[in-house]
Amino acid sequence: MAERFRTTALMSALLVATALALVAFGFSAIPDTANATTAPRAADRPAAAGQPAPAAHAGHKMAPAVPVPSGDDPDGDGYIPANPPVTGVVPSTEIPPHRYFHEFQANCSVTHTRPDDPIVFPGQPGKSHDHTFMGNRTTDAYSTTASLSGGGTACKAPGDRSAYWMPTLFKGDAAIPPVGPQVIYYKSGVTDYRSVRPFPKGLRYVVGNPMQSADEFRNHPGWVEGWECGNQYNNTEIPASCPTAQDVQLNLRFQAPSCWDGKYLDTPNHQSHMAYPVAQGANQDVCPASHPVALPMIEFKMAWPVNGDMSQVRLASGTGHSFHYDVFNAWDDATLNALVRHCVVGGLQCDARGYDQTHPEAGAALDADYELP
């Protein structure tokens, strides 16, 4: 009997220690059942097309177990309605004039790192794993559409006050942030690039899922070329070594969903209001009927200044296949509209000014200071 008591006590202590460790790293030791009663509307919200169902994960739980009110979501139910909603849109199946490019760049530099996430953990500083923030200089756990709109930016275009972030990359215990302006493409994700319209102010979403398996990461609709360095391409995990040449960096490209339901700027899992285009004959990419509004497709093209022995390189969220990122739109409406119309709808390959070197006759959307003329 005494031996059984000691065994039971030991197992209880281990369970408690494990639970405390999980909480310390952002895991919930309790199944997320509370959301079924605190957000009853979730039952009639379909998962985003082409995306696996999100799951809880380290420092980035996709749906808080207990609603947390925030500046943009005062009742804390996770739904932020668009005001006004976009209705009456039918996904375009038309074939436009062929243009190989329909994009512009938002070149934004890293501003800071912090264990905050204003989308997943609004108003809860320090609850997330460490993130590397680009663009808006004020982004933190308390960020709202209004606060970002009033903040400064490290993007070339002063009108881009959006916040972009991803898990911080570490080599051992040292954070390795990307250096200089990073390339954030705004592209057409649908065949009829003429149907793309600007983001609504305050739209936010999470791209990818840190709890995805390696196979899910490789087969994710946002996958482009995986982890790259030197002559290594299409890696699901961060390579164990990279050439030590001066110009060799670790690179990754990953695309976001670009079809919107027109109803919500955010949903409890931070993904269901967005969807990837779907193939529809003749190699067309069309928005699904559930998410009919075509928006720009974001593509992160990140470069970290690290090479050589990569065995100690990891993400704050885990291994390489845990990569994901977040977008919180706070563009000046007129500036974003000008770039989308000139470059995406216009079928051009633009830089951050909205200028296409191969079509100089088209001019630029912005002036030499990256502002509206």
Side-chain angles (χ1 to χ4, degrees), residues 240-262:
S241 64
C242 291
T244 55
Q246 185 175 0
D247 60 344
V248 172
Q249 298 190 82
L250 181 67
N251 298 280
L252 181 68
R253 296 170 63 185
F254 207 77
Q255 296 176 343
S258 59
C259 298
W260 178 44
D261 67 6

Side-chain angles (χ1 to χ4, degrees), residues 89-358:
V89 176
V90 177
S92 176
T93 58
E94 294 185 19
I95 304 296
H98 176 70
R99 299 300 290 265
Y100 192 78
F101 294 103
H102 12 72
E103 66 185 40
F104 68 89
Q105 295 183 20
N107 296 143
C108 303
S109 297
V110 170
T111 56
H112 57 287
T113 64
R114 185 171 290 162
D116 288 358
D117 191 318
I119 294 179
V120 179
F121 293 116
Q124 302 170 76
K127 193 167 184 180
S128 174
H129 56 240
D130 203 67
H131 282 114
T132 293
F133 292 90
M134 296 173 289
N136 200 294
R137 298 183 183 280
T138 68
T139 314
D140 62 17
Y142 299 100
S143 291
T144 63
T145 303
S147 72
L148 293 176
S149 297
T153 183
C155 298
K156 284 187 176 179
D160 186 5
R161 300 183 183 91
S162 301
Y164 310 92
W165 64 94
M166 58 192 173
T168 298
L169 187 87
F170 288 90
K171 186 170 186 178
D173 294 328
I176 310 292
V179 176
Q182 297 300 295
V183 178
I184 301 171
Y185 288 110
Y186 281 64
K187 301 182 174 185
S188 174
V190 294
T191 299
D192 190 0
Y193 54 85
R194 302 167 303 179
S195 67
V196 176
R197 63 181 68 196
F199 287 146
K201 183 70 70 66
L203 180 74
R204 68 208 72 184
Y205 52 83
V206 178
V207 183
N209 180 356
M211 284 301 287
Q212 64 206 347
S213 68
D215 285 342
E216 287 170 335
F217 178 55
R218 174 172 283 276
N219 294 304
H220 194 282
W223 171 279
V224 180
E225 295 175 356
W227 294 96
E228 303 178 346
C229 65
N231 59 357
Q232 300 189 55
Y233 306 95
N234 286 309
N235 293 288
T236 303
E237 305 298 346
I238 298 170
S241 64
C242 291
T244 55
Q246 185 175 0
D247 60 344
V248 172
Q249 298 190 82
L250 181 67
N251 298 280
L252 181 68
R253 296 170 63 185
F254 207 77
Q255 296 176 343
S258 59
C259 298
W260 178 44
D261 67 6
K263 301 174 183 177
Y264 294 100
L265 302 177
D266 197 11
T267 45
N269 69 4
H270 316 296
Q271 294 184 332
S272 293
H273 56 308
M274 300 295 296
Y276 286 88
V278 294
Q280 181 173 306
N283 296 317
Q284 281 185 275
D285 289 314
V286 179
C287 282
S290 60
H291 296 72
V293 185
L295 301 178
M297 180 191 72
I298 296 289
E299 179 182 312
F300 266 30
K301 185 180 180 182
M302 301 290 109
W304 292 267
V306 60
N307 57 31
D309 178 11
M310 306 280 285
S311 60
Q312 299 300 309
V313 176
R314 59 182 173 83
L315 294 170
S317 54
T319 60
H321 70 257
S322 72
F323 182 80
H324 59 289
Y325 62 90
D326 301 55
V327 177
F328 192 147
N329 174 47
W331 274 88
D332 168 69
D333 290 334
T335 305
L336 179 59
N337 182 63
L339 286 164
V340 170
R341 289 185 61 83
H342 186 70
C343 301
V344 180
V345 176
L348 299 174
Q349 184 184 26
C350 296
D351 59 16
R353 282 187 58 219
Y355 179 74
D356 185 343
Q357 292 184 351
T358 62

